[in-house]
Structures are given as C-alpha cells and as structure tokens.
Amino acid sequence: MLKDVIRSVDYSDCAEIALAMFVVAFAMMVFAVLRLSRKSADRFASIPLSDQVKDPRDE
C-alpha cells in the first residue's frame, strides 16, 4: 500500500518549487545587503580580521 502511495506522488514540480524558493531567498539577501549602511558594511567586513566578536547590528 505504501509503495502505491509513493508511486502515485508526482515529484516533477519539486525542482521548479526549489528553484523558486532559491530565487526568492537570493533576492531577499541582495535586498538586505543593498539596504545595509556603509558603516555597518565596514563593521561586517572587519569581523574576520578582529579578535573581538561584536555584532555590528547592536550599535
């Protein structure tokens, strides 16, 4: 019975749904980066070179 259920499921739309989810997530990340201020971007960029871990969004 379980085999029949699994065989009846159509996975052909999953690739398109996954691609749409990726595009939406990528667009949201680009929009968030474009809205970031220059000061915050400089702080985020300095994190790998700094010994102290501070969240730039707190300030």
Side-chain angles (χ1 to χ4, degrees):
M1 177 169 174
L2 185 59
K3 287 181 181 179
D4 295 334
V5 171
I6 291 175
R7 284 182 187 155
S8 67
V9 175
D10 184 22
Y11 294 106
S12 62
D13 294 332
C14 291
E16 287 85 9
I17 292 170
L19 179 64
M21 290 171 61
F22 171 77
V23 169
V24 168
F26 188 80
M28 289 174 60
M29 285 299 298
V30 168
F31 180 70
V33 168
L34 292 176
R35 289 191 58 214
L36 197 63
S37 69
R38 180 73 178 170
K39 186 177 177 182
S40 295
D42 289 340
R43 288 185 186 157
F44 278 118
S46 69
I47 287 175
L49 303 175
S50 161
D51 289 334
Q52 298 176 351
V53 178
K54 291 172 53 178
D55 189 0
R57 292 175 284 186
D58 290 342
E59 297 177 9

